[in-house]
Amino acid sequence: MSELAPVTMSATLAADEALRQRRLAGERVVSLASGEIGLPVLPSLARRLAEAAGHNAYGQVPGSPELRDAVAGYWRRRGLDTDPDLVVAGPGSKPLLFALLLALGGDVAVPVPSWVSYAAQARLAGARPLPVPIRPGEGGVPDPAALRAAVREARARGRDPRVVVVTVPDNPTGTLASAATLAELAHVARELDLVIVSDEIYGDLVFDAATPAVSPALFAPERTVVTTGITKNLALGGWRLGVARLPEVPPGRDLFPRLTAIASQIWSTAAAPVQAAAAYAFTEPPEVRARVAASLRLHERVVRAVADRVVAAGADLAPVRATCYLYPDFAPLRARLHRVHGIDDAADLTAQLAERHGIGVLPGAAFGEDARSLRVRLATGRLYGESDAERAAVLAAPDPLTTPSVRAALDRVEAALADLAG
């Protein structure tokens, strides 16, 4: 009997469940562990979902024509000419990413740090992850020179790396790779015949409109697959709808039948009512653009407030340029953390914040860091309140930092950091 692929619970979902249990036990907790963004559903999208509730047939495997046309338009407005016939929809970008790894085969280069599921999905697909460090302040993309060296070494040892996964902008660091780094990545990918899978789920959540996220598909269109969805920009994680854009040259057209065949065996088709609402969302009518813009202002205000407190406590932190994530390094506090709190690594730090302060964060080891690291990821998307009414008020507030839910969360975070730093 063949060995079972190693698999553990997603670190983010496991942390969510642990915090939920503590909340049910009556504890007051602050979740900085979850990647979910807690905002109400935009009413016009809720209406379209309800109106499509009667759409109960399977539908086409790659998605409805309406959805694929809308998605193609979404990418065209971002400079990526897209053939709707090479768009594939799935029940979330996570299963789409897994199906892509199955379809492409071979080992998978992943940045360090990187989202918790990339390496796990590579193992589940029967491949091995090849960890490659990032450049400082440019999370989500392996250092191209280090990627070249790692792939060559792996092939010399008989391994078969075929894919490199990138995230633009990045989870967990909240940073953004430069266009120059992405151009280098494209050059190395061509040189080594690698397919780039670019997870751009956070592409609409870059703070400075003058320096938007740049897709590697602009530099290597013939070998880049792009994925996105409605989970982050519209805070619709529970609706589970992701889309992939395949290259228009023969490799992409060859990938399409294999990817859709895998999809047909795993999920058949994405939920039809969700597809109908998502098709409308991807056309980006005025209220959708307004909601994304309002959400972005909120995320930036809150994540920067948390960043200020982290830096004031003495941790190192690359400037956050996108998303709801921070990835501080508490190494400058290592001596005090050991002497006063008995903290020697990020797992200890995570446990201390949870047990002593009721604050959930994730250790850097969940993102591929060395176990001795003192890096943790903080996610601010769940600080906007517990009810839709609270969250709507925070979203509409001229200054969300003055609202009761955000102010209370920031006070808890500040007190915990002060306790750590003295």
Side-chain angles (χ1 to χ4, degrees):
M1 181 178 176
S2 61
E3 289 187 17
L4 296 174
V7 58
T8 58
M9 175 70 76
S10 161
T12 51
L13 299 182
D16 275 352
E17 179 59 21
L19 290 170
R20 189 182 74 85
Q21 293 297 331
R22 296 183 70 154
R23 192 176 285 112
L24 289 174
E27 297 182 42
R28 287 195 315 124
V29 299
V30 174
S31 176
L32 291 172
S34 175
E36 183 170 12
I37 295 174
L39 289 174
V41 176
L42 185 63
S44 63
L45 297 182
R47 285 195 301 272
R48 278 162 176 78
L49 183 72
E51 290 166 359
H55 297 184
N56 62 343
Y58 277 109
Q60 299 177 27
V61 172
S64 71
E66 295 77 15
L67 174 61
R68 297 163 75 196
D69 283 341
V71 169
Y74 170 89
W75 269 313
R76 288 190 199 109
R77 290 189 292 276
R78 285 152 181 80
L80 296 177
D81 192 27
T82 302
D83 182 347
D85 289 339
L86 291 174
V87 171
V88 178
S93 59
K94 185 185 283 190
L96 265 177
L97 287 163
F98 180 56
L100 281 163
L101 297 186
L102 287 172
L104 292 165
D107 290 338
V108 183
V110 297
V112 177
S114 62
W115 179 51
V116 299
S117 290
Y118 295 146
Q121 287 192 347
R123 295 187 187 98
L124 287 172
R128 284 181 288 181
L130 181 64
V132 183
I134 63 169
R135 289 177 173 171
E138 294 194 59
V141 176
D143 181 324
L147 175 65
R148 177 188 288 112
V151 170
R152 285 178 172 171
E153 181 186 357
R155 287 175 175 168
R157 290 188 283 110
R159 293 178 60 179
D160 184 25
R162 300 183 202 171
V163 179
V164 54
V165 178
V166 303
T167 318
V168 187
D170 183 40
N171 169 13
T173 67
T175 61
L176 193 61
S178 68
T181 294
L182 289 166
E184 286 183 58
L185 173 76
H187 177 76
V188 172
R190 284 198 184 96
E191 175 188 327
L192 301 174
D193 194 23
L194 298 173
V195 174
I196 302 169
V197 175
S198 185
D199 180 354
E200 300 180 13
I201 192 77
Y202 301 99
D204 292 335
L205 298 184
V206 178
F207 301 147
D208 185 356
T211 56
V214 178
S215 175
L218 293 173
F219 301 102
E222 82 285 359
R223 62 181 59 251
T224 302
V225 178
V226 182
T227 66
T228 192
I230 55 176
T231 298
K232 305 302 179 182
N233 62 349
L234 288 165
L236 294 170
W239 286 22
R240 309 312 304 141
L241 193 289
V243 289
R245 172 193 180 274
L246 307 188
E248 294 193 23
V249 293
R253 294 192 179 277
D254 294 342
L255 177 59
F256 181 83
R258 181 163 173 78
L259 179 59
T260 52
I262 290 169
S264 75
Q265 299 290 2
I266 298 176
W267 63 76
S268 300
T269 183
V274 176
Q275 288 192 60
Y280 179 76
F282 275 112
T283 64
E284 298 181 287
E287 78 275 16
V288 166
R289 294 198 303 272
R291 165 56 71 88
V292 173
S295 302
L296 183 57
R297 288 191 297 270
L298 170 61
H299 302 330
E300 181 179 11
R301 190 80 171 95
V302 175
V303 80
R304 291 202 187 283
V306 175
D308 289 345
R309 287 155 175 79
V310 167
V311 171
D316 287 337
L317 179 67
V320 179
R321 298 179 58 200
T323 78
C324 304
Y325 302 125
L326 308 92
Y327 197 64
D329 187 353
F330 285 84
L333 301 174
R334 186 178 289 276
R336 171 183 165 78
L337 292 174
H338 172 76
R339 184 181 69 254
V340 177
H341 300 290
I343 293 173
D344 292 312
D345 55 33
D348 293 340
L349 179 55
T350 299
Q352 173 89 351
L353 287 169
E355 299 300 325
R356 188 178 176 96
H357 300 285
I359 295 175
V361 303
L362 290 180
F367 303 94
E369 296 277 9
D370 184 272
R372 285 275 301 165
S373 160
L374 278 169
R375 293 185 182 276
V376 294
R377 193 201 70 175
L378 285 63
T380 60
R382 293 286 291 274
L383 300 187
Y384 307 146
E386 295 299 320
S387 68
D388 275 354
E390 282 183 304
R391 294 164 177 168
V394 170
L395 186 62
D399 183 1
L401 304 189
T402 64
T403 60
S405 53
V406 174
R407 187 174 65 244
L410 291 176
D411 288 346
R412 290 277 298 279
V413 170
E414 188 166 10
L417 292 171
D419 179 55
L420 291 174

